[in-house]
Amino acid sequence: MDVNQLSSSLQHLEPSGIVLSTERRVALKASLVLLRNAEKFNSVSYWGRIKGVATDYHIAQGSNNDGYNFKTFYSVDCIRWAQLPDLHAVLVKSCKRIKGYFTGNPSHEFVVQEPGLKSNEERPTLPEEVEAIRKEETVGDGTTIITTTITEEKRLAAAVALIDDETRIVPRGAFRMDDSEKIVPCETFHGLSSHDAGKLSSYCHFREPVTLLQLSEMERAKLDKGLDFLDPLSDDIPKGCWSIQYQNGAESVVLRSQLWPGTVCVHVPNSSLYTQVYVGDGQRNNDLIFELPTSK
């Protein structure tokens, strides 16, 4: 939800229950403009809100149109913003084991225990700051247990990264890859047609491709390299992890992630307006595969 389109984006998100008070909206817009100027970003967006027991975390992201790279910030009052750390993949994996609600205290510590490496597995080289919060010990049966102390701030960073990886989406054609293989906004994008806007295949994950790399060379040769460099949502597993529907008499199209309840994406056909937001508890629905109807 780009700060320049905050009002128009909220207008289309309100039917999905995404509402900000006038006071919060004014504070948010003013502080995000200041953040954009201070960090010299080309754009700043309101990412959403992760609910906590004592207080909620508001999330914002800034970018300089350099591909998939974003800097992420959090705030509890929508006025003062602090940057979230970049986490090593090992810590992100450990954060997945944390269950329960966020407390609302960035300094709160979680203790995560997980199995250590087997004798035939190679020990990875980890940065000092990662090694400093991990403790490995051998238990009675000879197996090893790794105990990691993780602050809620790190858990918050992991949650945002995981949600982005599975739900950050854009309409097909909103970005293109130029001759130097740089990903840039497509200036000629004026929205999907009303018909195409209702198809999952018309939306793509804005991240490094995964399923696209699994195609054969013959299949990739049929694609438009300038436009088809992202994974389409229609390839997502399990089938049914996204819902898509028209709203307000087909004025707009709404997509919702069933894996990350609280993710809402809206596109207005035949216009360049597309936006998304997350408002939830930061918990992935790992039981979704059991909740979906079985195909006969």
Side-chain angles (χ1 to χ4, degrees), residues 57-168:
Y57 295 108
H58 294 269
I59 310 296
Q61 292 182 324
S63 74
N64 286 310
N65 296 334
D66 49 351
Y68 314 113
N69 298 316
F70 296 86
K71 286 186 178 181
T72 304
F73 300 80
Y74 73 97
S75 172
V76 296
D77 58 9
C78 289
I79 297 175
R80 295 176 293 272
W81 297 89
Q83 186 173 346
L84 283 173
D86 293 325
L87 290 192
H88 191 279
V90 167
L91 291 184
V92 174
K93 183 180 178 181
S94 296
C95 287
K96 288 182 180 181
R97 291 179 171 269
I98 302 175
K99 306 300 180 183
Y101 294 107
F102 284 79
T103 67
N105 176 9
S107 301
H108 180 82
E109 292 184 342
F110 299 90
V111 177
V112 179
Q113 289 189 325
E114 52 197 313
L117 295 173
K118 296 179 180 178
S119 57
N120 60 344
E121 293 180 322
E122 184 179 352
R123 181 180 298 276
T125 302
L126 300 176
E128 290 184 6
E129 61 270 20
V130 176
E131 291 281 13
I133 60 175
R134 286 163 56 92
K135 178 183 177 182
E136 185 172 342
E137 58 184 344
T138 303
V139 294
D141 59 358
T143 59
T144 58
I145 298 293
I146 296 176
T147 303
T148 309
T149 303
I150 298 173
T151 63
E152 183 155 283
E153 185 182 59
K154 287 184 172 65
R155 183 192 178 193
L156 185 64
V160 172
L162 291 168
I163 294 170
D164 273 350
D165 185 61
E166 293 192 292
T167 70
R168 179 191 290 280

Side-chain angles (χ1 to χ4, degrees), residues 84-293:
L84 283 173
D86 293 325
L87 290 192
H88 191 279
V90 167
L91 291 184
V92 174
K93 183 180 178 181
S94 296
C95 287
K96 288 182 180 181
R97 291 179 171 269
I98 302 175
K99 306 300 180 183
Y101 294 107
F102 284 79
T103 67
N105 176 9
S107 301
H108 180 82
E109 292 184 342
F110 299 90
V111 177
V112 179
Q113 289 189 325
E114 52 197 313
L117 295 173
K118 296 179 180 178
S119 57
N120 60 344
E121 293 180 322
E122 184 179 352
R123 181 180 298 276
T125 302
L126 300 176
E128 290 184 6
E129 61 270 20
V130 176
E131 291 281 13
I133 60 175
R134 286 163 56 92
K135 178 183 177 182
E136 185 172 342
E137 58 184 344
T138 303
V139 294
D141 59 358
T143 59
T144 58
I145 298 293
I146 296 176
T147 303
T148 309
T149 303
I150 298 173
T151 63
E152 183 155 283
E153 185 182 59
K154 287 184 172 65
R155 183 192 178 193
L156 185 64
V160 172
L162 291 168
I163 294 170
D164 273 350
D165 185 61
E166 293 192 292
T167 70
R168 179 191 290 280
I169 66 173
V170 294
R172 180 182 181 274
F175 287 81
R176 64 181 178 86
M177 183 176 288
D178 62 19
D179 294 337
S180 62
E181 297 190 348
K182 182 180 179 181
I183 300 168
V184 296
C186 185
E187 297 178 355
T188 60
F189 177 73
H190 300 299
L192 300 169
S193 68
S194 295
H195 176 69
D196 288 342
K199 301 177 182 178
L200 280 180
S201 57
S202 296
Y203 301 88
C204 305
H205 288 282
F206 196 66
R207 66 179 187 205
E208 293 288 350
V210 178
T211 60
L212 201 65
L213 302 180
Q214 299 170 3
L215 299 178
S216 65
E217 290 186 11
M218 185 175 295
E219 289 173 317
R220 286 201 294 267
K222 298 177 182 179
L223 302 176
D224 184 330
K225 294 182 180 179
L227 293 177
D228 298 317
F229 56 91
L230 300 171
D231 293 330
L233 266 60
S234 52
D235 288 345
D236 282 8
I237 296 174
K239 297 298 181 182
C241 63
W242 287 95
S243 69
I244 183 169
Q245 64 185 91
Y246 293 94
Q247 74 175 10
N248 296 335
E251 176 186 332
S252 58
V253 175
V254 181
L255 297 92
R256 295 180 177 86
S257 171
Q258 309 304 314
L259 276 175
W260 291 98
T263 298
V264 181
C265 315
V266 176
H267 174 51
V268 178
N270 303 306
S271 84
S272 58
L273 178 61
Y274 62 91
T275 188
Q276 76 176 80
V277 70
Y278 175 84
V279 177
D281 57 15
Q283 305 287 312
R284 189 180 190 271
N285 181 13
N286 293 321
D287 295 327
L288 177 63
I289 193 168
F290 304 108
E291 299 170 358
L292 294 171

Side-chain angles (χ1 to χ4, degrees), residues 7-50:
S7 296
S8 57
S9 294
L10 285 170
Q11 178 183 345
H12 291 286
L13 288 165
E14 283 178 359
S16 297
I18 309 298
V19 180
L20 287 177
S21 66
T22 301
E23 181 184 36
R24 182 75 73 187
R25 191 180 304 191
V26 171
L28 191 62
K29 187 167 185 177
S31 66
L32 289 183
V33 169
L34 290 174
L35 179 65
R36 182 183 61 192
N37 295 339
E39 297 289 335
K40 296 181 171 56
F41 290 131
N42 286 346
S43 63
V44 166
S45 298
Y46 178 61
W47 183 92
R49 174 166 55 93
I50 291 183

